[in-house]
Structure formats: C-alpha cells, structure tokens
Amino acid sequence: MLWLFSCGEKIEKIYPKKMAMTESVYASVTVQPDSLYQAYASVSGILHRNLVEEGDLVPKGFPLVQIVNTAPELNAENARLNFQLAEENYQGSSGVLKALEDEIKSAKLSLENDSVNYFRQKRLWEQQIGSKAQYENRKLAYELSQNNFRLTINRYQRTKNELTTQWQQARNNYITAQSNTQDFTIESNINGKVYALFKEPGEIVNTMEPIATVGSSDTFIIEMLVDEVDIVKLSRGQKVLVILDSYKNEVFEANVYKIYPKKDQRSQTFKVEASFIDPPAVLYPGLAGEGNIIIAQKNEVLTIPKSYLNKGNQVQTEDGPVTLKIGLQSLELIEILEGIDENTAILKPIE
C-alpha cells in the first residue's frame, strides 16, 4: 500500500494485482436425509402403540404404528353381508333370476299352447267351420301370450343387468372395506431410519396430521436457497463449497444435481439440491450452514477490491476517473478486463 497526502488528508491507493479468482453464488444450506417423507394414516382412530422408536432402522414394509378403530371392521362385515346377498341374488339357485327364468318357461309354454289353438282355429275358420267369436278369442289369446313372453324376457334382461351392477358394486365395496381394515398398521415406504414419531399411545390419529418422519439412514442431501437474481447462473454439475455450523473449521465439497424451477414467493428464492462428494462422518437432519456455488474460475486475472469501484463501473486514478470493463466478481474482488493495467494507481473513494 502507498499513501498520498492531499490537503493534509491521507488518500489510500493500490495497484491492480493478478491472481486466481473464483466467482460464486451464495446460498443458505440445510442438510436433510434423502427420500425424507412424512407418514400419514389413511384412517382415523386411536393410536394403539408405536411399533418402532426414533432412531430405529427399518426395512421397506416394516410396520411403524398400529391404530385402533372398530368402525372399519364393522363396515367390512356389513360390506361382506351385502356382497353375499348380491351374489346369492345374482348366482344362487333361489335367486331372483331363477324365478324369472321359471316365468319365462311358463310364458313360453302358454305361447306355444295358444299358438297351436290359434292356428288350428284359423284353418277351421278359413274352411268356414266354427264361429268368428271362437276365432277372435284364439287370436287374442295368442297375441297376449306373445306380448307376455316378450315382456318376461325383457324383465329378465333388465333384472339381470341390475343384479350384475349391484353384485359388482357390492364386491368393490367389500374389497375397499377390507383394505381399510388393513390400514390400521402404517408401514414404512422405504429402507431407512425413523427420525420422528409425532403421536403417543392413546392419542387421536386423523388423516390430516403426520404420524412419523422416515428418511434415508446413510444418504444426505444439501438443500440450498438461492436468490432469484443468481438462479440463472446455476446449472447441474457445478461444484459447491459447504461450511456447516457443526463443522466450522472444515469445508466440504458437493455437486449441484437438481434445480427446482418454481420460486418461493415468500422468500423470493429458488430451491437447489446438491450431493456431498465426501460427506462428514456424522450428519443429522436440519444441520445448517452456508454454501458457495462456484460458477466460474480463472487463473492470473487482473483484480481490484470491490471497495475501490465507484458507480458506473468507474475507478478514480491519479489522472482522473476511468470507466472499466469488468468480468468475474467475488465477495471482495472484481476482475478487470479493460481500462487499467497493473501499473495504474487506483485511489480509494472518499466516504
């Protein structure tokens, strides 16, 4: 550093320096287990008991909690009885269709008998044998038998369709009721660890509140919140330098692997996820820290401190203000592309 004296005041000046420079995007960091999810009950009831404890490792399909509720069991029994009745009406020997089949047989026999009598009487009448009244009575009886036979068949088809629908509906209701009785035991969806249990035995369980939190036991992800101004600079595969509050003296490397496209309107940030290259030995959900996502790196670039840059990308030199063309920016430094060189003295702005 060199010092100049002007009107009795010290004016600080520096010369630009060449050095390696990194431009990065800052992000707040939270560590979470991979595949973390909250388990919900699909039925309401009373928590009978927790089948696991917080911190337990569980395989996929392992029961977590057991719920008590007699209503679904009663519903399942009622559904079974309705299904049994519908099946008996549809397929049973004493069912409704069996009675209609007997009616069809009777109507068919009547039609055949009235048909024989009508055509016999018709031939006699054509030979001028018998009376016209006898002929018309036989004809009317035959037509009524035809109509009755047709109506009986239609009624059979309509009833069969209704019974088929009722049987299918009762069967579906019975299957649904059976599945509801199986929902009393909530199982894990993944191979992982139980991180939280939210209910104690005897408490009411509903479908709106979570019962447990389960996630990966050995794979953790880094959740980062990035300002909307910086999100366009990010892409998958970029390196991230992470400092956790629990490991203040260590820097961990990670890689960006997912960028969520939807902005959080409350915080005006985007969510970005990264994975550790070499994670710490011990991690817990919710560990916080800071991250710097590296978007560019250069060696031997001309730099000056940000504090020496004025508005309009100008710096104050001994010969007056100069407008610069700048490149990379870090928290403290700015890359100079055009305007000055290593031999140009830069004066620090007077506050």
Side-chain angles (χ1 to χ4, degrees):
M1 296 289 182
L2 298 179
W3 302 91
L4 296 180
F5 296 87
S6 175
C7 299
E9 294 183 1
K10 294 185 293 183
I11 300 177
E12 186 178 346
K13 73 174 181 179
I14 63 168
Y15 290 91
K17 292 183 179 180
K18 285 190 175 181
M19 62 178 66
M21 186 176 175
T22 299
E23 183 176 1
S24 62
V25 169
Y26 173 83
S28 60
V29 164
T30 304
V31 176
Q32 295 289 8
D34 189 23
S35 304
L36 187 71
Y37 79 98
Q38 291 184 324
Y40 286 80
S42 48
V43 294
S44 299
I46 304 297
L47 180 64
H48 178 56
R49 59 174 176 164
N50 289 317
L51 303 176
V52 294
E53 294 183 358
E54 291 167 322
D56 285 354
L57 299 178
V58 293
K60 183 178 180 180
F62 192 84
L64 303 175
V65 299
Q66 189 173 22
I67 302 169
V68 175
N69 190 340
T70 57
E73 294 181 351
L74 295 176
N75 292 337
E77 178 61 19
N78 291 335
R80 185 189 67 81
L81 294 175
N82 290 333
F83 175 56
Q84 185 177 7
L85 177 61
E87 189 170 39
E88 179 66 24
N89 289 334
Y90 178 56
Q91 297 179 342
S93 58
S94 60
V96 177
L97 291 182
K98 178 64 177 176
L100 289 176
E101 289 175 356
D102 293 340
E103 288 186 25
I104 291 176
K105 291 179 181 179
S106 177
K108 185 178 181 182
L109 291 175
S110 296
L111 176 61
E112 291 175 350
N113 182 64
D114 290 337
S115 174
V116 170
N117 292 333
Y118 165 66
F119 285 105
R120 181 186 298 117
Q121 190 65 41
K122 181 180 180 182
R123 287 192 298 270
L124 292 174
W125 176 247
E126 290 173 348
Q127 298 174 17
Q128 301 298 317
I129 301 174
S131 67
K132 184 177 182 181
Q134 288 178 317
Y135 168 73
E136 290 179 349
N137 287 337
R138 298 295 186 187
K139 181 180 180 182
L140 178 61
Y142 172 64
E143 291 175 348
L144 290 175
S145 294
Q146 278 186 316
N147 187 56
N148 182 57
F149 180 67
R150 184 171 59 254
L151 292 176
T152 304
I153 291 178
N154 291 339
R155 186 164 66 253
Y156 173 84
Q157 293 296 337
R158 183 174 63 254
T159 303
K160 183 178 180 180
N161 292 336
E162 292 175 353
L163 292 178
T164 301
T165 302
Q166 293 173 3
W167 177 78
Q168 290 175 340
Q169 290 176 340
R171 178 175 177 272
N172 293 338
N173 292 335
Y174 180 47
I175 293 174
T176 301
Q178 279 186 314
S179 66
N180 287 338
T181 61
Q182 298 171 358
D183 290 338
F184 292 143
T185 301
I186 309 303
E187 300 175 346
S188 174
N189 289 337
I190 62 171
N191 298 323
K193 178 186 286 188
V194 179
Y195 286 99
L197 295 171
F198 301 112
K199 297 289 184 179
E200 294 295 331
E203 293 185 339
I204 295 176
V205 174
N206 57 49
T207 59
M208 303 299 294
E209 298 177 333
I211 296 178
T213 297
V214 183
S216 174
S217 60
D218 52 8
T219 303
F220 286 77
I221 61 174
I222 303 167
E223 294 183 353
M224 300 179 290
L225 298 180
V226 177
D227 191 275
E228 63 175 326
V229 176
D230 299 319
I231 192 64
V232 295
K233 303 174 185 177
L234 304 188
S235 60
R236 294 177 60 185
Q238 289 174 330
K239 182 183 288 186
V240 186
L241 301 179
V242 179
I243 298 177
L244 299 176
D245 294 342
S246 300
Y247 296 90
K248 289 187 176 180
N249 297 324
E250 298 184 59
V251 177
F252 301 97
E253 293 186 0
N255 288 322
V256 174
Y257 75 88
K258 188 173 185 179
I259 301 173
Y260 288 83
K262 189 176 185 304
K263 182 176 72 173
D264 188 320
Q265 296 296 335
R266 292 175 299 177
S267 63
Q268 299 296 301
T269 60
F270 287 82
K271 182 179 176 181
V272 178
E273 291 183 354
S275 58
F276 284 105
I277 295 176
D278 187 14
V282 180
L283 287 172
Y284 290 95
L287 291 184
E290 299 178 338
N292 284 286
I293 306 170
I294 298 174
I295 59 175
Q297 287 180 303
K298 290 183 179 180
N299 294 320
E300 291 298 308
V301 296
L302 193 65
T303 66
I304 63 170
K306 270 189 174 181
S307 58
Y308 281 74
L309 191 67
N310 295 316
K311 292 182 179 180
N313 292 337
Q314 288 188 342
V315 292
Q316 186 67 33
T317 69
E318 294 176 327
D319 297 325
V322 176
T323 302
L324 306 179
K325 181 179 180 181
I326 63 175
L328 299 183
Q329 298 185 46
S330 66
L331 292 176
E332 297 179 352
L333 299 175
I334 296 177
E335 177 191 8
I336 306 301
L337 299 177
E338 294 179 5
I340 58 175
D341 56 29
E342 290 179 89
N343 300 317
T344 305
I346 308 299
L347 305 182
K348 187 173 185 179
I350 300 176
E351 297 180 357

